[in-house]
Amino acid sequence: MTGFPNDGTAYYWRTRAGNAAGWGPWNTTPRSFTNGTAAAPATSPAMSSPSNGTNVSSTSVNFSWGTVSGATKYQVQVSTQSNFASVYRHNGTTNTSYNMTGFPNNGTVYYWRTRAGNAAGWGPWNTTPRSFTNGTAAAPATSPAMSSPSNGANVSSASVNFSWGTVSGATKYQVQVSTQSNFASVYRHNGTTNTSYNMTGFPNNGTVYSWRTRAGNAAGWGPWNTTPRSFTNGTAAAPATSPAMSSPSNGTNVSSASVNFSWGTVSGATKYQVQVSTQSNFSTLYRYNGTTATSFTMNKFPNDGTVYYWRTRAGNAAAWGPWNTTPRSFTNGTASAPATSPSMSSPANGAYVPSTSITFSWGTVSGASKYQVQVSTQSNFATIYRHNGTTATSFTMNRFPNDGTVYYWRTRAGNATVWGPWNTTPRSFTNGP
């Protein structure tokens, strides 16, 4: 056999004999041998170029280092961090030099190191990496002179063109537009290599915007304009009044799972909102919707006697007008809690139920849409061993210990409004020996 690496690896070998009938057994005790001797290089390469602290003004950097006895391969790493927590460039080679391209040549400081290896493994990295600066550059020191829109201008259009002057050494620009003078949130932004940019999609509704620019290059970004400009985009005003509420009328009863809300138009409005709540102060919302029409149908009301409050407001591209100062209320259907508790079926009172799985069943209750069952080791149900809610009239509970414990159980019925009473006389059963 040829092609062994002769590097100190241990190998095992065995044989077997065969004929036309088949193969015999392998040797029960294989032999082992060591193929040569080798070890990973004990030292790292002597670093040659770039020299420590030098400046390499190029997008291409050639790294070179000395040979290491016994080495058959080398690695070089380049990072912007002295601890090489992240690696900017890396490469493995059988040579003692490697040319890396694509450096930004912008004044960034890089660190580099090497290590040698062979078939046995890799030796250590250089304990003292070298550093070099790749080119020289600086971010623009000034911000562009803003041209258009002029400060305080009115731009009545959905399209606004922003323009500014050039900045020496800049290769790119940014423009920001905000409804806040401190640019706490940005409405529009863009980066470009030009000195102008056209933004579309403005609402043209009288909103005041602030805008500013900055210049940048490969080294970084310069400062934003210290005094941003403002402009007004079109003219508009929010509706001054809220819609006249039509239906449901105040205090009415709507016995349906579907309720239609309607209201009058408001001059200058292009959209409306309706809110529905179980609280007169609308601190929480049960339903809400925005629409361009003057009515909206809401579904899935429980029709269970709950009292709801509703109100509307009108809006346009400028803003929303006020909510109705006097919301209306309506009652959705009628309902009351079940008056009785379910008749308990199984387990029977005093029954012996030897199982880890027990099914509880009970009768229906008029007007009920849900049921609860409780199981306790105490007749007063001071603590609950098992409980469950279901829409059925039976429920199987698992993981009973089947150890002779006496349990008590009871049920109650409920609907969308409230729960009825628990069984006044719970049942008991013994679970196993």
Side-chain angles (χ1 to χ4, degrees):
M1 292 184 183
T2 60
F4 282 90
N6 195 27
D7 60 359
T9 301
Y11 294 91
Y12 298 84
W13 71 283
R14 63 182 181 178
T15 62
R16 64 177 178 177
N19 57 25
W23 287 101
W26 289 105
N27 300 108
T28 55
T29 307
R31 287 189 175 183
S32 66
F33 67 93
T34 300
N35 174 232
T37 57
T43 61
S44 51
M47 304 169 76
S48 300
S49 178
S51 58
N52 197 40
T54 193
N55 184 286
V56 183
S57 295
S58 173
T59 58
S60 175
V61 180
N62 187 70
F63 298 87
S64 61
W65 52 88
T67 59
V68 173
S69 177
T72 59
K73 55 185 178 180
Y74 300 90
Q75 276 188 333
V76 57
Q77 282 185 340
V78 183
S79 175
T80 57
Q81 298 167 288
S82 59
N83 63 355
F84 291 82
S86 63
V87 176
Y88 177 73
R89 291 280 194 282
H90 64 89
N91 191 74
T93 178
T94 57
N95 302 318
T96 56
S97 67
Y98 188 77
N99 191 69
M100 292 185 182
T101 59
F103 282 88
N105 195 26
N106 64 357
T108 302
V109 175
Y110 294 95
Y111 299 86
W112 72 285
R113 63 182 180 179
T114 62
R115 66 177 178 176
N118 57 24
W122 288 102
W125 289 106
N126 299 111
T127 54
T128 306
R130 287 188 175 182
S131 68
F132 65 93
T133 303
N134 176 229
T136 55
T142 61
S143 52
M146 303 169 75
S147 300
S148 177
S150 58
N151 197 40
N154 184 287
V155 184
S156 296
S157 173
S159 176
V160 180
N161 188 70
F162 299 87
S163 62
W164 52 88
T166 59
V167 173
S168 177
T171 59
K172 55 186 178 180
Y173 299 91
Q174 276 188 333
V175 57
Q176 282 185 340
V177 184
S178 176
T179 56
Q180 300 166 289
S181 59
N182 63 355
F183 292 83
S185 64
V186 176
Y187 177 73
R188 290 280 195 283
H189 64 91
N190 192 74
T192 177
T193 57
N194 302 317
T195 56
S196 67
Y197 188 78
N198 192 70
M199 293 186 181
T200 59
F202 282 89
N204 196 24
N205 62 358
T207 302
V208 175
Y209 295 93
S210 298
W211 72 284
R212 63 182 182 179
T213 62
R214 65 177 179 176
N217 56 24
W221 288 102
W224 289 106
N225 300 112
T226 55
T227 307
R229 287 188 175 181
S230 68
F231 66 94
T232 302
N233 176 230
T235 56
T241 60
S242 52
M245 303 169 74
S246 299
S247 177
S249 57
N250 196 41
T252 192
N253 184 286
V254 183
S255 296
S256 174
S258 177
V259 180
N260 181 258
F261 299 86
S262 62
W263 52 89
T265 60
V266 173
S267 177
T270 58
K271 56 186 178 180
Y272 299 91
Q273 277 188 332
V274 57
Q275 286 184 339
V276 183
S277 176
T278 56
Q279 298 167 290
S280 59
N281 63 357
F282 292 84
S283 56
T284 61
L285 295 180
Y286 179 73
R287 292 280 195 282
Y288 65 90
N289 191 74
T291 177
T292 57
T294 56
S295 67
F296 188 78
T297 298
M298 294 185 181
N299 302 310
K300 297 183 180 179
F301 279 89
N303 196 22
D304 61 357
T306 301
V307 175
Y308 294 94
Y309 300 86
W310 72 284
R311 63 182 182 179
T312 62
R313 66 176 179 176
N316 57 23
W320 286 101
W323 289 106
N324 301 111
T325 54
T326 306
R328 288 188 175 182
S329 67
F330 67 93
T331 302
N332 176 231
T334 56
S336 59
T340 61
S341 51
S343 58
M344 304 169 74
S345 300
S346 177
N349 194 39
Y352 172 73
V353 187
S355 176
T356 59
S357 176
I358 300 176
T359 297
F360 299 85
S361 61
W362 52 88
T364 60
V365 172
S366 178
S369 58
K370 56 186 178 181
Y371 299 91
Q372 278 189 330
V373 58
Q374 284 185 340
V375 183
S376 176
T377 57
Q378 299 166 289
S379 59
N380 63 355
F381 292 82
T383 61
I384 303 298
Y385 178 72
R386 291 281 195 282
H387 66 89
N388 191 74
T390 178
T391 57
T393 55
S394 66
F395 188 77
T396 299
M397 294 185 181
N398 302 311
R399 293 186 293 179
F400 279 88
N402 196 25
D403 62 357
T405 300
V406 175
Y407 294 93
Y408 299 85
W409 71 284
R410 62 182 183 180
T411 62
R412 65 176 179 176
N415 56 27
T417 304
V418 72
W419 287 100
W422 290 105
N423 300 111
T424 54
T425 306
R427 288 188 175 184
S428 68
F429 64 92
T430 301
N431 174 232

